[in-house]
Amino acid sequence: MSGKKGMKHCSSVIIDDIIKLKSEGKTNKEIVELFGLANIKTVKNIVQLYNQKQRALAAGISPKRRGRTAKGYQITEDEKDNEIKRLKMENELLRSFLQLGGRR
């Protein structure tokens, strides 16, 4: 597990509960007090990551697999398409950056 020494990790059940309470209108401070978390930043980070994932799903980008791939794993067409989209976006960004920098 990654993180700093002594850092506590939230289980997926707690994360789901935090997201549910946040959607019901609870404040970050109330959620921290309810779960006994260390600080408000924990809740902010959980909500921010959840929102990023939701925006990516709405844009049609499926979440990437994490960790080392299994032996003999075959990449699906959907994953190939997403990789191509991502690389095209990176190329456009780099080209525009170089253009603004006056290199091209």
Side-chain angles (χ1 to χ4, degrees):
M1 298 195 116
S2 63
K4 294 182 179 178
K5 185 176 180 181
M7 181 183 215
K8 293 182 180 179
H9 296 278
C10 294
S11 68
S12 61
V13 175
I14 293 176
I15 291 173
D16 293 339
D17 290 342
I18 289 172
I19 299 300
K20 189 172 106 181
L21 289 172
K22 192 66 179 170
S23 66
E24 290 174 358
K26 296 276 187 185
T27 65
N28 290 345
K29 191 171 185 177
E30 291 173 342
I31 294 172
V32 167
E33 291 171 357
L34 184 67
F35 287 104
L37 298 173
N39 56 19
I40 293 176
K41 282 187 178 181
T42 306
V43 176
K44 285 182 182 178
N45 289 338
I46 290 171
V47 172
Q48 184 178 16
L49 286 173
Y50 175 77
N51 289 337
Q52 285 176 354
K53 287 179 184 177
Q54 293 305 312
R55 280 193 299 268
L57 288 173
I61 302 171
S62 61
K64 293 197 292 187
R65 295 173 52 93
R66 301 189 97 192
R68 187 173 179 176
T69 57
K71 213 176 204 180
Y73 175 74
Q74 298 294 320
I75 298 174
T76 62
E77 289 296 321
D78 189 39
E79 290 173 339
K80 286 180 185 178
D81 293 339
N82 288 336
E83 183 74 11
I84 291 169
K85 281 183 193 176
R86 187 182 63 80
L87 291 172
K88 284 182 180 179
M89 286 176 19
E90 283 182 18
N91 282 340
E92 288 177 24
L93 179 67
L94 290 172
R95 283 190 182 127
S96 65
F97 177 74
L98 288 174
Q99 216 170 28
L100 289 173
R103 290 192 176 180
R104 275 188 146 180

